[in-house]
Amino acid sequence: MLISTNAIVISKLKYGDNDLIVKCYTQDYGTQSFLLRGVLKSKKGKVQAAYFQMLSQLQIVMDYKNNRSLQHIREVKLNHLYSSLHSNVVKSAVAMFLSEILSGALQEEEPNETLYSYIETTLLWFDSYTEYANFHLLFLLNLTKYLGFYPEVAHLEYEYFNLQDGKFELKAIDRHTISGDNVTVLKRLLETTFDILTEVKISSKQRQSFLNVLLLYYELHLGNFKKPKSLEILHQVFN
C-alpha cells in the first residue's frame, strides 16, 4: 500500500556497501525504519542519500506493510530546506545529539500529531535563530510532556526536585534529588517558552550540569534509554 506522509530523520546506518537503514519519525505512522537499497551508489532515481541528513524534514511516499520491520521508500522530497542547521558546526552537533535522543526515546509505531508538530516547529525555530545555546535544554525538557514525565509544577517554591518522582519537594528524601543551580535552571526553563528563550542566560558550566541532570531524568523514566554517544562532542563545541 502506497502511503504519503511527512517524516523527520532520526537515525541512519550504513548496511553493506551501498545500502542505508534509516529510522524516521513519521506524522501518520509513528516511528518507522526503511531499507534504502543501492542509495549510496546510485546518483539517479527518486531516492537519494543526500535527503537523509539528521533531523531533515521530508515528505515521503512509502510502500507500507504493517507486518514488515523495514519499509521501502518510493519517493522523497524536502518539506523544509534548512538554512543553517546542517551547515553550522555547532548546530550540526546539536542536531546529531538530539537525533540520538529521539531515536532512543521514540519507539511507538503509533501516530502522535501533536508530538510531530512539536518537533517540526521547534527545529524550524532552531534553524532560524542565531542565539540558541539553551535550545537543546528547553527542547528536551518540553519533550517530556509528550513522553509522559513532564515535571509537576506544583510547589515551585520548594528548593529540591525529585528526579525519580518528577516533583518539587521541601527537603531531599531520595538519592536522585537535585538542588542549587540545577533547580534554579529547571525553574527558569519551566517558565520559559521558545519565544523568549534568547532572554534566558545560563553559564556554560550550568548548562553542562543541567544537561547531565536531564539525561539522568530520561534514564530514570525511559527503561531502555542510553546516554547519547555524541554527548562529548556536544560538550566540546559549546566549550
Side-chain angles (χ1 to χ4, degrees), residues 203-215:
S203 72
S204 176
K205 183 178 179 181
Q206 289 174 322
R207 188 180 303 116
Q208 184 169 329
S209 177
F210 185 70
L211 178 58
N212 289 331
V213 164
L214 275 176
L215 293 177

Side-chain angles (χ1 to χ4, degrees), residues 28-29 47 53 96 125 131 150-151 163 186-187 230:
D28 299 303
Y29 287 85
V47 180
Q53 297 186 70
M96 185 189 306
W125 183 99
E131 293 184 45
Y150 189 68
L163 295 170
L186 174 60
K187 290 179 180 181
S230 57

Side-chain angles (χ1 to χ4, degrees), residues 152-163:
E152 290 184 22
V153 293
H155 305 300
L156 274 174
E157 72 277 11
Y158 290 171
E159 296 181 4
Y160 298 91
F161 182 78
N162 186 320
L163 295 170

Side-chain angles (χ1 to χ4, degrees), residues 134-163:
N134 299 318
F135 168 78
H136 57 299
L137 302 182
L138 187 58
F139 178 90
L140 292 178
L141 181 60
N142 285 352
L143 182 63
T144 64
K145 291 179 184 177
Y146 307 94
L147 300 177
F149 54 97
Y150 189 68
E152 290 184 22
V153 293
H155 305 300
L156 274 174
E157 72 277 11
Y158 290 171
E159 296 181 4
Y160 298 91
F161 182 78
N162 186 320
L163 295 170

Side-chain angles (χ1 to χ4, degrees), residues 104-105 107 140-141 143-152 161-167 174 176-177 213-226:
Q107 302 292 338
L140 292 178
L141 181 60
L143 182 63
T144 64
K145 291 179 184 177
Y146 307 94
L147 300 177
F149 54 97
Y150 189 68
E152 290 184 22
F161 182 78
N162 186 320
L163 295 170
Q164 186 75 63
D165 294 338
K167 62 183 182 180
D174 186 273
H176 294 305
T177 296
V213 164
L214 275 176
L215 293 177
L216 175 58
Y217 193 45
Y218 271 68
E219 285 183 52
L220 291 171
H221 291 270
L222 296 176
N224 297 320
F225 183 82
K226 296 178 181 178

Side-chain angles (χ1 to χ4, degrees), residues 64-198:
Y64 179 76
K65 293 182 181 179
N66 61 11
N67 61 344
R68 186 164 60 191
S69 59
L70 292 172
Q71 307 294 340
H72 298 297
I73 294 178
R74 293 288 188 90
E75 298 178 29
V76 60
K77 65 180 181 180
L78 286 175
N79 249 351
H80 300 288
L81 179 61
Y82 293 133
S83 61
S84 64
L85 192 146
H86 291 139
S87 57
N88 178 292
V89 174
V90 178
K91 286 189 177 184
S92 292
V94 174
M96 185 189 306
F97 173 76
L98 293 181
S99 67
E100 269 198 86
I101 297 278
L102 292 171
S103 181
L106 305 180
Q107 302 292 338
E108 296 297 322
E109 295 184 7
E110 298 292 336
N112 185 333
E113 290 209 20
T114 55
L115 173 54
Y116 187 91
S117 178
Y118 169 72
I119 299 171
E120 177 185 44
T121 55
T122 52
L123 290 178
L124 293 177
W125 183 99
F126 181 48
D127 181 56
S128 64
Y129 274 76
T130 56
E131 293 184 45
Y132 50 80
N134 299 318
F135 168 78
H136 57 299
L137 302 182
L138 187 58
F139 178 90
L140 292 178
L141 181 60
N142 285 352
L143 182 63
T144 64
K145 291 179 184 177
Y146 307 94
L147 300 177
F149 54 97
Y150 189 68
E152 290 184 22
V153 293
H155 305 300
L156 274 174
E157 72 277 11
Y158 290 171
E159 296 181 4
Y160 298 91
F161 182 78
N162 186 320
L163 295 170
Q164 186 75 63
D165 294 338
K167 62 183 182 180
F168 290 93
E169 295 179 335
L170 192 57
K171 57 184 179 180
I173 58 173
D174 186 273
R175 67 189 182 95
H176 294 305
T177 296
I178 60 169
S179 59
D181 278 356
N182 285 321
V183 169
T184 300
V185 172
L186 174 60
K187 290 179 180 181
R188 192 176 303 165
L189 291 175
L190 286 171
E191 297 173 333
T192 299
T193 65
F194 285 98
D195 290 338
I196 59 172
L197 182 59
T198 56

